[in-house]
Amino acid sequence: MNRSLTFMRKSNIILSFIFLLMWMPNSIKANPEYQKVARDLIESLTSGDFNKVTENFNDKLSAGVNQQQVQILWVQLQMQLGKFIAISDYSESHKVDIGIVFINHLIFEKDSLRTVITVEKNSENNKIEVSGFFIQPIEKQPDKKEYIDADYVNKTKFEEIEIKLPPDSILDGRLTIPKNLSKNQKVSAVVLVHGSGAHDFDETIVDNKPFRDIAYGLSSNGIAVLRYNKRTLIDNNLDVSNLTMNEESVFDAVEAVNFLKNNYSDRIENVYVLGHSLGGYTLPRIANLSKNASGFISLAGNSRSFSELLIDQYEYLWGLNKQEAETQETKNYIDSMKIVELEKVKRLQRKDFDENTPKDLLPLGVHPKYYLDIANYFPSKEFVNENRPILFLQGVRDYQVTVADFDLWKKDLGKKPNTTFVLFDNLNHLLQTGVGKSTPSEYSVKQNVDKQIIEAIVNWLNEVQHLNLE
């Protein structure tokens, strides 16, 4: 699943803390006290004084991030973008409902990033505090191009309908459905379930939109597809401290299947659930709750325990970081951080935690209830009694969910007549073509989901549909 070193409510190298900004159109002359708090944060970050970075965070922000997480992020940024060079002279400030937003640029060897810092006054103690902190890529508006769809997409063959997913109708989404159906003709449909992290309905990762690729590719081949924003992206009332895999993914996937059955039964016959990464991991739970689903597709879905998966990811990513480190000091720091993080994973393995364990003592800063929920969850065992058709697709170059997971699915389920397994030699975790070892930087290069994935799903759906008709 998409749970690498940067699991938070946003993914990849961007440090994001959810904060709704109501922008005013013009920059303002900022209060010097507010400006100093923002400037001190940036200077502390870039000088490596990580304790000072977080000292003015308000309670909500402090609960979501700590000094150690900031330190890890700063090392990762320089691994990807080269050494930090300077704080740019560029600056903006904007008045918002609760305070002032300050924007600055940080210059690295290979690229620049922008910081977005929201500063406000605490009404209870009158302290000036940081309530929002983002590090983001700088949008280059003049060079911004429309997303280029894959060659296998033919938009004349389907229509795209905006939807809101029940029961609370806060999850926006899209239904792509083939056009020009004959009278009484019905098509198969696929519901897309995201990997971990706060994804939109395209599962956007930097410039890549794998769910858009899959939806458009399948609908170009006569298959309807429903995709929707993930709850962790859009639901501001979500209680993260009590979040489990069910609230994150499972319940909404079940509702999506029901939505198609209840609203589009005139055009859609069988509904299948496709889970990518974490979404594939959740499929047995979805199957247990969804009697309306006709089958399931695991796209790079992990089957091993979360702790085992994390150790593999840590070893792989820390190894890459050490290869790219330019000084022994940096290599030593990477080794020391690896020891700290692996100890958190070992706590999971020992089951040495309970609902009161501080999240800072657990991997990735995730609350204990999430880990307690999956402590005894083994998806391949859960799927043993499932008789609906299941397709497993996996890329050999995937370092996040590896062939070891694919092999475990196959070991436990491979003899069942309802399962199909397809392994692709040249695909990574985003189902994109590449050569050599896959790296996180690959995800920042725009590329479409490989045509082999679309063809494999279409062929499988046609085959199971044919069996259903017999």
Side-chain angles (χ1 to χ4, degrees), residues 100-116:
I100 300 175
V101 175
F102 296 92
I103 299 175
N104 293 88
H105 290 180
L106 306 180
I107 304 171
F108 295 82
E109 287 180 317
K110 300 177 183 177
D111 204 350
S112 295
L113 299 175
R114 75 171 188 165
T115 61
V116 182

Side-chain angles (χ1 to χ4, degrees), residues 8 44 57 133 139 237 311 342 359 465:
M8 295 183 72
S44 299
F57 283 7
F133 176 36
E139 294 184 11
N237 296 317
I311 288 174
L342 284 178
K359 63 185 179 66
Q465 181 68 11

Side-chain angles (χ1 to χ4, degrees), residues 240-291:
V240 179
S241 64
N242 286 307
L243 186 74
T244 71
M245 194 166 67
N246 289 336
E247 290 83 14
E248 181 184 10
S249 299
V250 174
F251 292 155
D252 289 328
V254 173
E255 288 295 338
V257 174
N258 293 339
F259 173 81
L260 291 179
K261 285 289 188 178
N262 293 336
N263 295 279
Y264 289 90
S265 60
D266 59 325
R267 289 193 275 175
I268 290 173
E269 188 167 16
N270 296 310
V271 180
Y272 300 83
V273 181
L274 181 155
H276 175 226
S277 196
L278 171 71
Y281 182 70
T282 68
L283 286 178
R285 280 201 182 173
I286 294 170
N288 286 339
L289 294 176
S290 181
K291 302 309 175 187

Side-chain angles (χ1 to χ4, degrees), residues 297-316:
I297 303 167
S298 174
L299 208 57
N302 62 296
S303 58
R304 294 177 295 160
S305 69
F306 185 47
S307 55
E308 188 175 353
L309 192 76
L310 263 184
I311 288 174
D312 277 3
Q313 287 191 19
Y314 279 153
E315 295 288 353
Y316 189 90

